[in-house]
Each structure stands twice: as structure tokens, then as C-alpha cells.
Amino acid sequence: MADDDALLFAEEDDPATQVVRSKEKFSKPWKVMIVDDEPEVHTITRLALSGFRFEDRDLEFLSAYSGEKAKALLAEHPDTALVFLDVVMETENAGLDVVRHVRNTLGNTMTRIILRTGQPGQAPERQVILEYDINDYKTKTEFTSRKLFTSVVAGLRAYADLEIIEQNRNGLEQIISASASIFKVQSMERFVQGVLTQLVSLLKLSSNAFCCGSGRFARDNGADRLRILAGIGGYTDYSGRLIEEALPQNILDDIHAATASGKDIFADDHIVLFFLSGGGAGNVIYVDGTRDLSVFDKDLLRIFCSNVAIAFDNITLATELERTQKEVVERIGALAETRSEETGNHVRRVAEYCYMLARAAGLDENEAQTLKEAAPMHDIGKVGIPDSILNKPEKLTREEFEVMKDHSSIGRRLLSGSSSRLLDVSAIIAHEHHERYDGKGYPRGLKGKEINIFGRITAIADVFDALGSPRCYKPEWSIDEVFAYMEEQRGKQFDPDLIDLFLARKEEIMEIRESFKDHPATRGELEN
Ligand code: C2E
Ligand code: SIN
Ligand code: SIN
Ligand code: SIN
Ligand code: FE
Ligand code: FE
């Protein structure tokens, strides 16, 4: 299966993907909304940002001159990336009402919001900043064009990260539900039909599609003759037929082009996806009538193809699909690492310490293993924190730390609500890894055993490793200082029972530290 794994996560510029793209999707501008009752603010902001591009995409400005207008405009443009929002407009709190409306009523958690207040003294309620995921807040006087630029970059980057995570999460959910059905359906044909159905509905493609192959499920006398394995829509009745006998010449030409080159074809009115299954057999998925596909859509298509390939190989499906999930989770975790300047080995060591403590605390192998796989996600919410705060090379101000603390709730929101146990546990860890045993932690101030055991374990592992590692804001501590701190916080920051178990295993801890050392040359590199 090693070959198929590679195919699962083909990069967007994978040579195996030949793209006949139309420009529109790729030059889609970032929507930036200016909400202010002073027309001058709109003029100045537009002027200061004119010609600005981020990741090869222009800005498209939207303007609203009151809170009520802003609500309507945001409902109309849920894909707004960034909002500059005045606080005082038709009422003292019009801007804050907009924030609540966006997050609560519209359920929009993606759009990044930058509050702007007229007078320095008139700060927005702290509660609103914390609860409603405000990206940044500035007084208008400090909005020089350089600062504006920095804010826009930070905001758009955070939005782009959230978008990628959201796409991955949707794909993951689709895979999970598709794989659940594998165990129920009897025949390969129905499985393939199910996958095609999900594929076209997820990507909003036409429902005329089929899959053909020459593998053992389509075995014929001639080794390379392709048969239709299953179809949907107009191709429903084509199942089992040789392609030469069933399909018109133009489609045959495309199929042959794809199998000969091993490349996908994304044409204006159809898609041809090529993939290999066990023993090197070539397979093709053909979908009629397409729309513009983003790189994420294409990633999803690859994932679906892999799913079919796995089923074709008919090996231990449960194991393989679980691995697929784990890889997606690792990919999401890696994304978080690229934002903060922590090393890949930090999350790996944290995972190992977590596993060690979980076993020591009596959790069974399965639970400990799940914790180990989920632990790398504990700081995923940092993708929602502005760079200026996340990578600030010195101590954070109180206000900045308040924003930083949001990473636990952002993490929970990103990971919760799926049917996967692994993601559920990841959500708990993201949410609770900064709670303290004495109740003085965040975000909820949970106390003692109110904190999930996974959260209590991860807190110990995370802090132990953070203290012993250099950070952009502090040098590393000596190992003796670190152990002294851990011991001192017994029953305060940390669960006393778990700390005892931890401190009784110094030798094992040092071994983990040694085997996953940070090497300066690999800092910040993505692990693959
Ligand atoms: P992190 O760097 O991964 O640190 C995780 C946790 O390790 C911290 O959670 C804290 O409990 C512990 N820790 C790390 N360094 C120290 C230290 O020097 N002294 C003590 N007593 N504990 C330490 P915390 O405090 O909730 O911070 C969460 C995250 O916020 C940190 O994750 C880091 O990304 C960021 N952060 C915290 N303080 C600063 C700062 O002064 N500057 C910057 N740039 N980031 C900070
Ligand atoms: C306030 O409204 O209390 C100021 C906001 C803050 O403390 O961050
Ligand atoms: C959560 O923290 O989101 C869930 C709490 C739990 O399951 O213990
Ligand atoms: C558990 O094993 O999940 C409960 C143990 C604890 O909360 O300490
Ligand atoms: Fe954290
Ligand atoms: Fe961490």
C-alpha cells in the first residue's frame, strides 16, 4: 500500500495532475469589508490598500455605512475574509452588535474581524473580544498605512489557514462516512456507486459519472482491457461493459490519454481522474460537465480516488482507512506548526510524553494510542492568532495574552462536531490543555477532575516540553529547573497524581527527549 499512500496526498503541483484551468477561480479576490459611518474612512482605507495583493489575489472592497447595513452585507457575502469594523455608529455599540450577529446569528466563524475605535480611551468590551474571536483591535489614530498593511496580511493569512482546515475537515468527514458504508455494502459495484455519488454531491458536479478499471475486479482475457465497474446518472446501466463497446470515441480518447500518461485531465466540460490500484492496475473515474475546481476540490478528488483504490485492493480496510484519517489529522497539525516557529519535534515529544503518562495512569492501550495521535493537534488553534502576537520575540502584554488564550477555543471549534473519535479527543485536548488543576487556567477555569484526563495529561506534557525548549520569547530552561518547576506546581497547575507518575519516570522522559531532539537545521521544516 505504500504507493497508494503517496497518491493520497498528492501536492497541488504534483506532476501527475494536469490542469486545464480557467483563470476565474484562481484570481478570485479576497473580500474586504469596510464598515464605518464616516465616508472618509472608506476612502482612506481603499486608497491605502489600492493595488495590494496577497497570495496572487487582489482585494475586493465592500462598504457599509451602518451596523444594520453591515449585517445585511455580511449575510450576502459569507465568504468575506476580513472586516474593518467601526465600534460606534448609529448606536454606541453598533459594531459589537455586528460582531455578535456574524458569529451567533450568521454562524460565521471564518471571517476575520478587526475592530476600529474612534477614541483611544473607548476600548471595546473585553468580553466581546474574547468571546467573539476578534482578530485584532486598533484605534483609528494608530492606523498608519504600514500598520494597515500588517493587519491585512495577518488577517488574510489567518483566514486562508482557516479555509484550508475547513476544507480538510469537510473532506475528512466525507471519507469517514464513505468508509462506514464499505462495511455494509455487499458488492464492489455498489461501493463504487456510493463513492461516485458522494463525490459529485460534495463537489457539486453533474451526476453523470462512471469508474472503469482493468484490475482484478474487471478481469478480462486481455490484460489491459478496461471495463466499467459502476456508473451513476446516465451511466447507471453501463456496469460490466467493456469501454470500447459502451462509450463514444471522444470519451475513449480521453480515457486512453489519461491511462497512457498517468495524468488527470481537467477540461472545461469533464474530468478524467487516473489512479492505480493493487498490482499496478490502472483505473479511471470520468465525470461529465464540471465547474471550476479549486486546488482543494482536486485534493478531495485525489482522496476519493485513493478510497476507491483501497477498496479495490480489498485488504484490511479498517486499518487502512484509519491510517487515512491519521494522515489527514497529521497534515492539519503540520499546518499549525508552520505558523508558530516551534519545531516539529515539539509535538512529537508531547505525543510521546502523553502516551507514557496515559499508560502509567491506567488508560488502556487503545485510549493511550488515541491520545498520542491526537496530542499533536493541541495548539492547532494558534492558526487563528495573528503573527504579530504568535511570533512576538518578547513577553506578551496582558491584552495580547488575552488574544493568545483564544487558541484553545478556536482549536475546539475547528475539531469538534465530527463523528471521529480521534477528532473528538483532539477537540478536548485543544480545549482543555491550558486548564489548571487549581481552577485558575483557561478558557473555562475548570478545576481538578472536571478537566478531562486527556487535558490534564497534555497540560503536563506540553508545559514540560515548552519549558525545556527555546521559544521566540524565552530561552530554554535547564532540565533541573524544569523538573523543579513541575514538582513545585504539583496540585497547583498540575494534577498531583499525574505529576507523581510523571516524576517517577525521569529516565524514560530523558530517553524521549534524546530520541526526538531538535536539530537547528530542521527547525520549522514540515515533516513528511
Ligand atoms: P507555548 O510556548 O507552547 O507554552 C505552553 C505553556 O508552557 C505555557 O502556556 C505555559 O504554561 C508554559 N510555559 C512556557 N514558557 C514558560 C515560562 O517561561 N514560564 C512558565 N512559568 N511557564 C511557561 P501559556 O502561558 O498559557 O501560553 C500559551 C502560549 O502563549 C504559549 O505556548 C506561547 O505560544 C504563547 N505565549 C505565552 N507567553 C508568551 C510571551 O511572553 N511571548 C510570546 N511571543 N508568546 C507567548
Ligand atoms: C476594557 O474594555 O476593559 C479594555 C479591553 C482590554 O482590557 O483588553
Ligand atoms: C470539551 O472539553 O469540549 C468536552 C469535555 C469532555 O468531554 O470531557
Ligand atoms: C478516566 O480514566 O477517564 C478517568 C480517570 C480520571 O479522570 O482521572
Ligand atoms: Fe497551547
Ligand atoms: Fe504546545
Side-chain angles (χ1 to χ4, degrees):
M1 286 308 294
D3 288 345
D4 289 285
D5 285 347
L7 181 151
L8 281 185
F9 297 108
E11 296 298 334
E12 61 183 82
D13 56 357
D14 187 323
T17 310
Q18 175 197 317
V19 186
V20 183
R21 64 169 64 137
S22 66
K23 289 113 264 141
E24 194 194 327
K25 187 91 185 181
F26 287 82
S27 56
K28 205 183 88 177
W30 305 98
K31 290 184 182 171
V32 173
M33 191 179 299
I34 305 163
V35 182
D36 207 300
D37 53 355
E38 295 172 52
E40 201 175 65
V41 171
H42 293 255
T43 318
I44 292 173
T45 309
R46 283 170 186 253
L47 198 65
L49 294 172
S50 69
F52 176 89
R53 287 168 70 79
F54 178 70
E55 291 184 352
D56 282 337
R57 287 161 64 179
D58 295 322
L59 304 186
E60 175 188 338
F61 292 103
L62 303 166
S63 276
Y65 296 87
S66 71
E68 287 308 310
K69 285 277 158 52
K71 289 180 189 174
L73 202 56
L74 278 158
E76 206 180 309
H77 298 275
D79 56 341
T80 300
L82 195 60
V83 181
F84 287 109
L85 182 59
D86 189 15
V87 175
V88 182
M89 289 177 287
E90 64 265 49
T91 65
E92 280 289 296
N93 281 325
L96 304 183
D97 289 342
V98 171
V99 173
R100 289 194 191 92
H101 184 80
V102 170
R103 298 294 189 231
N104 292 348
T105 312
L106 298 178
N108 175 345
T109 54
M110 302 273 290
T111 297
R112 302 294 82 203
I113 299 176
I114 297 177
L115 285 180
R116 298 205 277 193
T117 57
Q119 294 120 21
Q122 183 195 46
E125 299 161 40
R126 203 171 132 197
Q127 193 67 11
V128 174
I129 296 185
L130 293 183
E131 262 177 43
Y132 293 97
D133 188 16
I134 302 292
N135 222 43
D136 212 341
Y137 116 76
K138 296 251 183 307
T139 56
K140 284 179 191 169
T141 47
E142 66 173 319
F143 248 116
T144 61
S145 77
R146 191 177 57 81
K147 279 186 179 154
L148 190 63
F149 176 83
T150 313
S151 285
V152 171
V153 171
L156 291 181
R157 186 172 291 148
Y159 180 79
D161 282 346
L162 290 177
E163 237 180 10
I164 291 171
I165 291 171
E166 185 67 17
Q167 297 275 358
N168 271 319
R169 216 171 76 86
N170 289 342
L172 185 59
E173 276 177 16
Q174 287 296 324
I175 292 171
I176 291 163
S177 51
S179 46
S181 62
I182 292 179
F183 302 104
K184 292 185 209 123
V185 298
Q186 319 300 322
S187 72
M188 184 56 53
E189 181 187 340
R190 282 189 47 209
F191 168 72
V192 175
Q193 278 187 337
V195 169
L196 291 174
T197 304
Q198 259 165 339
L199 185 149
V200 299
S201 82
L202 179 68
L203 293 179
K204 302 186 179 65
L205 302 170
S206 91
S207 53
N208 298 322
F210 64 85
C211 175
C212 57
S214 64
R216 87 182 85 143
F217 296 98
R219 182 150 294 162
D220 208 70
N221 297 335
D224 282 334
R225 302 188 71 186
L226 291 169
R227 265 182 200 281
I228 296 173
L229 304 173
I232 57 172
Y235 298 107
T236 307
D237 296 331
Y238 284 47
S239 185
R241 295 169 64 182
L242 284 169
I243 58 167
E244 288 84 0
E245 291 164 11
L247 299 169
Q249 194 58 42
N250 59 331
I251 296 184
L252 291 177
D253 289 346
D254 275 328
I255 293 175
H256 290 313
T259 51
S261 65
K263 288 180 179 175
D264 299 332
I265 298 169
F266 292 96
D268 283 344
D269 61 351
H270 61 274
I271 303 174
V272 188
L273 301 166
F274 176 78
F275 62 99
L276 291 171
S277 55
N283 304 278
V284 167
I285 287 179
Y286 186 97
V287 187
D288 265 356
T290 63
R291 60 177 181 84
D292 244 352
L293 295 174
S294 70
V295 289
F296 306 119
D297 294 336
K298 287 171 188 163
D299 277 352
L300 266 188
L301 288 172
R302 299 312 313 171
I303 292 170
F304 268 93
C305 286
S306 322
N307 227 358
V308 182
I310 289 168
F312 284 4
D313 292 343
N314 199 18
I315 57 163
T316 48
L317 290 176
T319 324
E320 284 310 311
L321 288 163
E322 245 168 55
R323 256 220 335 239
T324 309
Q325 291 180 21
K326 280 173 205 161
E327 289 201 45
V328 175
V329 168
E330 269 176 26
R331 250 165 79 99
I332 299 173
L335 191 69
E337 281 168 37
T338 61
R339 278 295 312 289
S340 73
E341 292 162 353
E342 287 163 24
T343 64
N345 278 345
H346 165 65
V347 293
R348 208 161 308 126
R349 288 189 301 265
V350 168
E352 295 291 336
Y353 298 139
C354 282
Y355 176 81
M356 179 198 80
L357 255 183
R359 291 299 280 156
L363 267 61
D364 69 25
E365 172 60 25
N366 214 355
E367 288 289 278
Q369 194 63 39
T370 304
L371 173 62
K372 179 174 163 180
E373 283 152 17
M377 312 282 282
H378 70 274
D379 273 335
I380 183 72
K382 283 182 178 174
V383 302
I385 304 300
D387 271 344
S388 56
I389 294 181
L390 188 60
N391 293 323
K392 181 178 175 178
E394 56 209 75
K395 210 168 157 33
L396 300 179
T397 64
R398 195 179 59 82
E399 284 79 10
E400 287 169 334
F401 190 59
E402 288 303 324
V403 173
M404 186 68 218
K405 279 157 83 174
D406 256 3
H407 80 277
S408 3
S409 304
I410 296 173
R412 184 191 63 86
R413 267 206 312 279
L414 289 171
L415 296 165
S416 59
S418 100
S419 55
S420 149
R421 169 83 180 139
L422 180 53
L423 288 191
D424 280 348
V425 171
S426 305
I428 293 171
I429 290 172
H431 199 196
E432 302 187 9
H433 74 281
H434 288 297
E435 296 290 358
R436 292 172 51 111
Y437 197 76
D438 60 14
K440 295 178 185 163
Y442 61 86
R444 288 183 291 175
L446 299 180
K447 203 170 187 161
K449 312 277 185 216
E450 282 170 14
I451 309 162
N452 188 291
I453 177 98
F454 292 133
R456 278 176 280 143
I457 290 175
T458 310
I460 292 175
D462 183 36
V463 172
F464 175 80
D465 197 71
L467 292 177
S469 309
R471 283 283 192 267
C472 61
Y473 60 94
K474 67 153 196 55
E476 66 182 271
W477 295 12
S478 77
I479 190 67
D480 292 338
E481 289 170 322
V482 177
F483 276 122
Y485 178 87
M486 301 306 287
E487 195 157 355
E488 199 270 320
Q489 292 294 326
R490 183 183 185 281
K492 299 176 193 165
Q493 190 168 359
F494 307 122
D495 180 333
D497 301 329
L498 290 174
I499 273 294
D500 289 345
L501 294 170
F502 188 75
L503 294 174
R505 287 169 175 73
K506 287 188 183 169
E507 219 168 278
E508 202 178 327
I509 291 167
M510 296 311 285
E511 272 169 33
I512 293 170
R513 233 168 101 86
E514 194 53 36
S515 15
F516 297 99
K517 260 208 304 248
D518 292 326
H519 300 287
T522 64
R523 284 197 126 231
E525 252 176 41
L526 263 185
E527 186 233 348
N528 235 324

